[in-house]
Amino acid sequence: MPHSLPMMDYREHVSRGDLHYEKTVKRSEGGLPIGTGTMGSLVWTSPSAVKLQVNRVDVYANDCSTNSFNERHSDYAYGCGFVDIDFVDYGADVFTDDTVQQHLSLYDATAAIQGNGVQLEAFAKSGGDVFAFLVEDRRAEPQGINVKLKMLRPAEVLTKHHLAVSTLKMVNDMIVLKQVFREGEHYCCSAVAICLSGRDAIARMNDEFGGRELVGSFRKRPVLGQPNETEMRLCVKPGAGAFELFVASAASFDTEEDVVALAVERAEAARSQGYAAMLAEHKAWWNEYWSKSYIRLSSEDGAAEKVEAHYTYFLYLMASNSRGGQFAPNFGGMLLSPRGDRRHWGAMQWWNNLNLYYNAILPSGHYELMEPYFHMYSNMYDSCARAAEQQWGSQGIFIPEVVWFNGLDNLPADIAEEMRELYLLRKPWEERSERFKQYAYSKHPHESRWNWKSYESWEEGHLVYPDRGYGPYGFTTHMFANQVGIAFHYWMYYEYTKDETWLRERAYPMIKGAAEFFRHFPNLRKEEDGLYHIYHTINDEKYIGGKDSMDAMSAMHGILPVLLKASELLGVDADLRPVWQELYDHLAPIPTSDNPEAVLRTEEGAPGVWVGALEPVLDNKSGIDLRPARFCNLCTLATEDENPSMYETGVASLQFQEERLNGDWGRSASEMSASARVLAGMGMAEPFKETVLAQLDCINAEREYCYITETGHVKFFDNRLTVREGVNAISAQRLGNAAAALQLALCQSQPGAPAKEPAIRVFPACPKGWDAEFALWCHGGFVVSSAIRQGVVTRLSVKSTLGGVCRIHNPWKGENVALHRKDGSSGSTSGSSSSGNPMRMSGSMFVFDTVAGGEYELVRV
């Protein structure tokens, strides 16, 4: 725990974000979320039972090689099995609106449910894939309690070339559910094992085979003879008092690994340790987690406290869904899907959605939550390098916007050759070969590579795919900025940690790969104006086929300076630096409305604003694009000093957008909207407040994908989550957006341009009437702790975890400041630390050297 953080009651603080229900939830999506980071579930009630669905981040029914799921939303992943803890056989319901109480404690990461004569406490073990339950029966006449383990689908499901086999069995006194998925070379297996402690129980399954495991191998037709039952039970002997229940899981892509044995081993280890000892260990981890950073807010109208509660809750969700594994959670559903393993938008990752979960992580100091995200994209590097050449005739790496967990499939040589000719607009779309059409027919239409396939329909028993009408262009086929966004996250991790080994081994390959893709992209060329222009790309699913799209131009302007700096820091690729520098120096500017080819033209004499692309575009879209204010540090408050013309364009763009919204920024606050982040990043406090509150309230949520109340209002569930993304696709995207925006409103440390020197700025967009205090992490490993009361900064301190030069804006508008070193010495502007009186500083920016572990306080004189 950083010593510079003020003494505070973390339990009291974090508990302000708890969930409290004094009713049953009407839909499973409103349940209480628990998770280990690799295994998770919502916990919800029916009148007689507590229910959950075991989900894992590493369970995939199919991979990038599949030819069996060419219908939208038909692929599936993550789910392992249903579990019901059923308290009632013959008797009164135990969970009704007049008796139930439910509580999710964020500080301890425990869920508690109390009903009529029964109660249950649950948690997801930190550091192990086990759910632990303490179940207590206090009824005057206790009943038998049935713990049911249920398959997600029939025992055998054959989908074209894909086979899914589920089996139930008994191992010692445990009940076990195993799933096996096979298609071609793809294999994935999962297992769930359940055991009890403290009460006698009998395992039952009412099938003629007595629960023996019957595993089918892949065949052209289903394997006959599987048991009809899809459910197994642990029948618990009636009795008053408590017993312990453990649900463990495991998964593997290795045909040689015995996942049943692993799940059973985990369950037995949990039982041997016991609920109380496991809970103490679990609480210790979570209590330490919360001490890393915090944000605390207050306002007379309660709006600030509301934003704070959602921020704290978001950090709970991320630690529950993204920790310790090799894969990031899916953006729609995370580890919380309650309705099986098919979900709207399928199992692939959509980066423009996924990144919303990770933008707020580094300032929170919870660097470990980024690891699954980094592991997933690094592990697909080789396939993405191959795809850059196969699909585009380029070099580096191509990471599509929509991609499978293991990257892209290896294309046959003839398909790859024709794809390049078609997608680079060298060959007319109407001249596609029958071979290409047939190959594409079996591919998933969500995958960016095949996303030109429009919405399918069944006609006389045949699945028919029209294309979108724009040739090879789909919604995401020609979007390229996302791979730069991924690489930039790697760079930001280095900026926060200064870990040169990380930069060399993990970040640099991604940074170089993303930049080299653009440098070698065949439709990037230098023209008579001496500038490099790019053609035939897409910007955010629109501006189809445009020139110098915002998507591509912001990506190149963002990644090239980072590549140059990283290369210099590591002392590598010196021979390529002049080539990269020449490209960067002669790169066409980010598109603006004062360009005669812009898709949106402002009035003559009016300042230019950012636009989506230059003409020609195929879809007649025309509009403003605020991407530079949210992407790669292209435009921030610090840009005013670094690049005044870019900053002026940013201000003009925001003013233009505000006029289009009639001054109501709340109209821009959809689930995925980055408006709150943009406004906070540019120092617009009141618009930020208006937008973030609208976003949290789902004011502009899309009705077709959201929870509709009985009165017809669109809203979030009791657990603050939405289903904006569709059936079974639980989403916290708006919480991620709000969290990142709040951090920027209170503390910024990003530079004024990519790869430039960062500087800390406190409360740049704190709304009027909000009192706030925080401890957040900044570029360079500085932990900044500050407070503001009635518009005045009352406290500001910095802990240097890594040493180095600290640059911080004066929050007292030019007043003189004294710099105190906590051990009694002062900081120094000359590169040394000396003992003695506090150092006096003045001006708008303070620059002083620090030592690793040093703590510094800035005080108004």
Side-chain angles (χ1 to χ4, degrees), residues 471-638:
Y473 296 110
F475 288 101
T476 63
T477 48
H478 292 64
M479 284 172 56
F480 303 131
N482 54 282
Q483 61 195 20
V484 167
I486 294 165
F488 201 78
H489 271 146
Y490 281 75
W491 171 250
M492 284 294 96
Y493 187 92
Y494 166 73
E495 284 279 85
Y496 275 78
T497 64
K498 296 301 180 183
D499 184 341
E500 189 169 308
T501 300
W502 162 270
L503 178 62
R504 185 180 303 277
E505 297 178 1
R506 301 286 300 279
Y508 190 72
M510 305 297 287
I511 294 166
K512 180 180 177 181
E516 285 289 85
F517 174 84
F518 281 103
R519 183 167 77 90
H520 294 279
F521 186 65
N523 286 332
L524 176 73
R525 52 183 179 266
K526 198 172 189 178
E527 299 188 346
E528 292 182 359
D529 60 2
L531 301 177
Y532 288 93
H533 297 270
I534 193 167
Y535 292 84
H536 309 313
T537 66
I538 295 174
N539 182 61
D540 280 350
E541 303 187 8
K542 51 186 181 290
Y543 308 109
I544 293 174
K547 172 185 175 182
D548 291 349
S549 70
M550 178 64 78
D551 179 275
M553 295 310 299
S554 62
M556 287 187 282
H557 278 281
I559 201 62
L560 286 168
V562 167
L563 174 61
L564 287 163
K565 184 170 182 178
S567 171
E568 292 172 0
L569 287 169
L570 296 174
V572 297
D573 290 328
D575 56 327
L576 286 174
R577 273 181 235 147
V579 178
W580 294 332
Q581 189 69 57
E582 192 275 339
L583 172 58
Y584 184 49
D585 290 342
H586 297 87
L587 194 58
I590 286 173
T592 54
S593 62
D594 48 6
N595 188 309
E597 299 177 272
V599 293
L600 169 69
R601 297 297 311 281
T602 46
E603 296 180 3
E604 187 173 350
V609 300
W610 296 316
V611 297
L614 304 183
E615 294 281 8
V617 295
L618 300 180
D619 55 348
N620 286 323
K621 298 289 184 182
S622 61
I624 194 169
D625 192 314
L626 300 177
R627 181 188 289 263
R630 62 175 171 86
F631 191 72
C632 290
N633 294 333
L634 290 168
C635 189
T636 71
L637 274 177

Side-chain angles (χ1 to χ4, degrees), residues 314 317 331 334 357 671 721 730-737:
F314 174 74
L317 288 175
F331 78 93
M334 300 181 286
Y357 291 133
E671 175 100 359
L721 301 175
I730 287 284
S731 171
Q733 293 172 88
R734 81 191 208 291
L735 303 186
N737 269 319

Side-chain angles (χ1 to χ4, degrees), residues 334-414:
M334 300 181 286
L335 292 174
L336 306 177
S337 294
R339 298 191 178 198
D341 53 4
R342 285 181 59 171
R343 55 179 68 172
H344 209 72
W345 304 111
M348 281 180 274
Q349 292 290 5
W350 303 58
W351 183 80
N352 271 287
N353 300 82
L354 181 64
N355 87 94
L356 305 184
Y357 291 133
Y358 289 96
N359 293 322
I361 297 305
L362 292 174
S364 76
H366 297 298
Y367 302 158
E368 71 279 6
L369 304 186
M370 298 291 293
E371 280 300 318
Y373 173 88
F374 291 137
H375 279 305
M376 182 178 70
Y377 283 115
S378 289
N379 288 341
M380 66 176 73
Y381 182 95
D382 290 344
S383 77
C384 294
R386 182 180 61 230
E389 190 281 324
Q390 282 196 323
Q391 186 166 338
W392 302 106
S394 187
Q395 296 181 28
I397 56 173
F398 168 57
I399 307 177
E401 159 65 13
V402 187
V403 67
W404 299 98
F405 73 96
N406 62 338
L408 297 91
D409 196 19
N410 186 14
L411 297 172
D414 61 326

Side-chain angles (χ1 to χ4, degrees), residues 180-193:
V180 177
F181 305 106
R182 295 181 185 269
E183 181 179 0
E185 296 299 315
H186 176 69
Y187 170 89
C188 185
C189 182
S190 72
V192 178

Side-chain angles (χ1 to χ4, degrees), residues 62 64 197 222 294 308 336 356 378 452 458 624 776:
N62 50 276
C64 64
S197 177
Y294 73 93
E308 175 207 303
L336 306 177
L356 305 184
S378 289
W452 47 264
W458 286 92
I624 194 169
L776 292 170

Side-chain angles (χ1 to χ4, degrees), residues 11 24 118 288 358 410 465 607 651 669 700 760 769 830:
R11 178 177 294 278
T24 58
V118 300
E288 177 64 22
Y358 289 96
N410 186 14
Y465 279 104
V651 172
N700 293 308
I760 298 164
S830 61

Side-chain angles (χ1 to χ4, degrees), residues 197-486:
S197 177
R199 188 75 63 84
D200 289 339
I202 299 174
R204 295 190 184 281
M205 183 170 71
N206 298 325
D207 70 272
E208 58 184 300
F209 300 100
R212 288 183 289 116
E213 181 179 14
L214 302 172
V215 179
S217 59
F218 176 77
R219 303 179 184 179
K220 291 183 179 179
R221 54 193 297 176
V223 180
L224 301 178
Q226 284 284 64
N228 293 322
E229 292 293 326
T230 59
E231 174 186 308
M232 200 170 188
R233 292 170 291 149
L234 272 178
C235 304
V236 184
K237 182 179 179 180
F243 64 89
E244 299 171 4
L245 173 69
F246 303 97
V247 179
S249 71
S252 179
F253 298 101
D254 184 355
T255 58
E256 300 300 316
E257 187 165 13
D258 188 343
V259 296
V260 168
L262 183 55
V264 168
E265 179 184 339
R266 289 173 177 171
E268 189 59 61
R271 177 161 59 181
S272 297
Q273 184 179 9
Y275 185 91
M278 192 187 307
L279 179 60
E281 184 181 277
H282 168 83
K283 287 182 176 181
W285 187 92
W286 274 95
N287 298 170
E288 177 64 22
Y289 174 83
W290 292 116
S291 71
K292 197 82 171 180
S293 64
Y294 73 93
I295 290 176
R296 189 175 180 93
L297 307 173
S298 63
S299 63
E300 288 188 4
D301 61 2
E305 288 89 342
K306 177 179 181 177
V307 176
E308 175 207 303
H310 282 76
Y311 175 81
T312 306
Y313 182 62
F314 174 74
L315 292 183
Y316 169 83
L317 288 175
M318 288 306 294
S320 300
N321 286 271
S322 178
R323 176 164 48 99
Q326 294 288 313
F327 305 100
N330 184 267
F331 78 93
M334 300 181 286
L335 292 174
L336 306 177
S337 294
R339 298 191 178 198
D341 53 4
R342 285 181 59 171
R343 55 179 68 172
H344 209 72
W345 304 111
M348 281 180 274
Q349 292 290 5
W350 303 58
W351 183 80
N352 271 287
N353 300 82
L354 181 64
N355 87 94
L356 305 184
Y357 291 133
Y358 289 96
N359 293 322
I361 297 305
L362 292 174
S364 76
H366 297 298
Y367 302 158
E368 71 279 6
L369 304 186
M370 298 291 293
E371 280 300 318
Y373 173 88
F374 291 137
H375 279 305
M376 182 178 70
Y377 283 115
S378 289
N379 288 341
M380 66 176 73
Y381 182 95
D382 290 344
S383 77
C384 294
R386 182 180 61 230
E389 190 281 324
Q390 282 196 323
Q391 186 166 338
W392 302 106
S394 187
Q395 296 181 28
I397 56 173
F398 168 57
I399 307 177
E401 159 65 13
V402 187
V403 67
W404 299 98
F405 73 96
N406 62 338
L408 297 91
D409 196 19
N410 186 14
L411 297 172
D414 61 326
I415 295 296
E417 181 179 1
E418 185 169 2
M419 178 178 280
R420 289 193 297 273
E421 295 300 298
L422 291 167
Y423 287 24
L424 292 169
L425 283 295
R426 294 169 175 169
K427 178 180 180 178
W429 187 245
E430 296 74 19
E431 296 180 12
R432 282 170 294 162
S433 68
E434 286 302 314
R435 157 82 168 143
F436 184 87
K437 292 178 183 178
Q438 288 301 315
Y439 188 89
Y441 178 82
S442 64
K443 297 303 180 181
H444 199 298
H446 282 156
E447 185 181 357
S448 288
R449 195 174 247 178
W450 312 105
N451 195 229
W452 47 264
K453 296 164 77 171
S454 190
Y455 292 95
E456 64 271 22
S457 61
W458 286 92
E459 298 180 10
E460 298 181 353
H462 297 280
L463 187 64
V464 177
Y465 279 104
D467 60 46
R468 291 193 64 214
Y470 300 115
Y473 296 110
F475 288 101
T476 63
T477 48
H478 292 64
M479 284 172 56
F480 303 131
N482 54 282
Q483 61 195 20
V484 167
I486 294 165

